[in-house]
Amino acid sequence: MENLLLLLPLMMLWFPPPKTAAIAEVPAIIVFGDSTVDSGNNNRIPTLVRSNFRPYGRDFMGGKPTGRFSNGRLATDFYSEFYGLGPFVPAYLDPLYGIEDFATRVCFASAGSGLDVATSNIQSVIPLWMQVRYYKEYQTRLIRYLGEEKAEHTLREAAYVISIGTNDFIENYFANASERKKQFTIGGYVDFLTGLARDFIKELYALGARKIGFTGLGPIGCVPLERSMNSVTRGSCVEEYNKAARDFNAKLQTTIDELCAALPGIQLKLAPLYDFFLYVVQNRVIYGFENVEFGCCATGTFEVGHTCNQWSPFTCPDARKYAFWDAVHPTEKMSQIIAEHLINTTFAQFK
Ligand SMILES: *[C@@H]1O[C@H](CO)[C@@H](O)[C@H](O)[C@H]1NC(C)=O
Ligand SMILES: *[C@@H]1O[C@H](CO)[C@@H](O)[C@H](O)[C@H]1NC(C)=O
């Protein structure tokens, strides 16, 4: 007993910062998705969907615009920190990082991507099937780097984060002249998307993934871009979009329940974003936000990507007072609040 007490201070030096009690070992975080989690992959591909210029990243470490659609870090960066893996998740295509970094944290996401390959094609970004191809290449590199046994352990025990689906509605289905709208009712499109989500999760499982958190959609009708384009009541959330998000989440939950029953050993969870996001927006004072309707960048109504740049005189001086950074994406502070909720409900629950 005495010996154990003597050992305690030493052990604290070796272990990652204390979090909640008895959290499972998570040796790596592996990310798929869209601009909500892309940490810079789009910088390396020919697309206009970019954010590797000021004022993006102005509150990131070193004030560096990395390609994250944020003034600072993303929710996935906070998950990584929570797991004790480091303060951010590097992009797989970023030449500054190698397998020694990716062995514990790696991001395959691409801003503008969707579950539907037609969505990814709109802006020539990395479709989900290509993200999987990169992941397979990563597996090969990881085995070479760690050896087969250790690599398999990492791939099995890693936390897999999937954050995708918003663009399928905003960029694709609800866009003018959408082919998908001619093909599908909204209910039919939700079924189509959740079918694609099911196939994707099954593929990850077959490749060895077990701990998977699929982030549900937020209230996509409440992002500044949609609020300002709301033709019914300008400035308020677009209920049609919010309903699509809720329908998607409900159908995804059913899909996830089915997969949990069918796939032995899977720890698959829907990370519940929608209600909490709306709660923060509706209770902004509690969280210290002055503005939850406009983005901090430029006029805050439509600017995202190249239209959010350093030449706008209107960008807010303190992004911590805003829930949204640009017309679509949350500020670092909002991401941190959301990350904490999704860690509590989902990412700290893996066994
Ligand atoms: C979409 O169509 C509507 C109605 O025709 C029009 O008012 C709006 O400007 C169009 N939006 C875009 C982004 O082209
Ligand atoms: C997350 O859990 C911690 C510890 O129980 C708690 O202090 C915090 O308020 C929770 N945060 C959210 C956003 O749920």
Side-chain angles (χ1 to χ4, degrees):
M1 188 63 199
E2 241 169 272
N3 282 342
L4 203 66
L5 284 176
L6 280 173
L7 267 174
L8 267 177
L10 266 179
M11 287 165 70
M12 281 172 169
L13 288 177
W14 300 335
F15 280 87
K19 306 152 228 150
T20 50
I23 158 142
E25 185 219 7
V26 170
I29 175 169
I30 299 173
V31 179
F32 298 90
D34 59 20
S35 62
T36 53
V37 291
D38 183 354
S39 55
N41 286 310
N42 276 20
N43 302 347
R44 314 299 304 176
I45 61 165
T47 175
L48 290 174
V49 189
R50 293 264 178 92
S51 58
N52 54 341
F53 40 80
R54 294 295 186 96
Y56 285 101
R58 74 178 190 188
D59 300 312
F60 195 79
M61 288 154 264
K64 193 176 171 228
T66 56
R68 285 169 177 78
F69 279 77
S70 171
N71 58 307
R73 290 193 283 166
L74 306 172
T76 35
D77 297 318
F78 292 106
Y79 304 162
S80 174
E81 189 166 80
F82 167 75
Y83 288 131
L85 299 172
F88 64 92
V89 181
Y92 186 63
L93 299 184
D94 190 334
L96 288 177
Y97 302 95
I99 192 64
E100 61 282 5
D101 308 292
F102 301 142
T104 53
R105 44 201 168 118
V106 61
C107 170
F108 301 102
S110 172
S113 199
L115 285 160
D116 182 354
V117 72
T119 305
S120 315
N121 289 345
I122 295 171
Q123 317 253 32
S124 313
V125 298
I126 307 168
L128 206 46
W129 65 264
M130 188 70 190
Q131 296 183 30
V132 173
R133 189 178 283 184
Y134 282 128
Y135 171 66
K136 287 181 184 164
E137 177 191 82
Y138 163 75
Q139 287 199 338
T140 308
R141 290 173 68 187
L142 193 70
I143 289 167
R144 214 180 300 140
Y145 178 66
L146 290 179
E148 190 143 357
E149 199 175 320
K150 263 191 107 177
E152 265 166 25
H153 175 264
T154 292
L155 297 168
R156 187 176 62 246
E157 300 298 329
Y160 290 75
V161 184
I162 307 166
S163 182
I164 198 161
T166 302
N167 294 314
D168 294 309
F169 292 103
I170 286 188
E171 294 282 333
N172 191 349
Y173 190 83
F174 288 124
N176 285 349
S178 162
E179 286 300 314
R180 289 305 192 208
K181 208 185 240 166
K182 291 177 204 152
Q183 273 174 287
F184 292 106
T185 62
I186 184 69
Y189 195 55
V190 164
D191 289 348
F192 176 67
L193 292 180
T194 47
L196 294 171
R198 174 198 308 269
D199 294 345
F200 176 58
I201 293 164
K202 281 167 84 170
E203 187 169 15
L204 283 188
Y205 178 85
L207 288 166
R210 291 297 176 270
K211 302 170 179 174
I212 306 172
F214 199 125
T215 310
L217 295 186
I220 59 179
C222 295
V223 303
L225 180 69
E226 305 310 332
R227 283 180 188 263
S228 53
M229 294 204 312
N230 192 341
S231 49
V232 187
T233 45
R234 199 164 288 273
S236 41
C237 302
V238 182
E239 174 51 21
E240 186 187 17
Y241 291 17
N242 280 353
K243 183 175 185 312
R246 291 194 303 272
D247 290 351
F248 174 85
N249 291 340
K251 185 78 198 210
L252 184 61
Q253 184 64 66
T254 307
T255 303
I256 283 176
D257 292 344
E258 287 163 10
L259 288 171
C260 285
L263 304 174
I266 198 167
Q267 299 184 47
L268 172 62
K269 288 172 190 297
L270 178 64
L273 177 63
Y274 188 97
D275 291 340
F276 183 73
F277 199 109
L278 211 52
Y279 178 82
V280 176
V281 164
Q282 288 164 351
N283 296 273
R284 61 176 177 80
V285 178
I286 299 177
Y287 294 93
F289 289 126
E290 287 175 8
N291 194 314
V292 295
E293 292 164 13
F294 295 98
C296 164
C297 189
T299 69
T301 54
F302 70 89
E303 296 92 343
V304 55
H306 283 284
T307 45
C308 164
N309 57 56
Q310 59 183 325
W311 294 283
S312 173
F314 303 113
T315 299
C316 80
D318 184 2
R320 294 186 59 81
K321 296 178 177 158
Y322 282 68
F324 286 94
W325 163 247
D326 63 19
V328 175
H329 304 96
T331 52
E332 175 181 69
K333 182 178 166 189
M334 186 65 169
S335 292
Q336 184 165 17
I337 291 167
I338 285 166
E340 200 182 284
H341 174 69
L342 297 184
I343 287 167
N344 283 359
T345 55
T346 307
F347 294 102
Q349 304 288 326
F350 293 129
K351 294 191 260 309

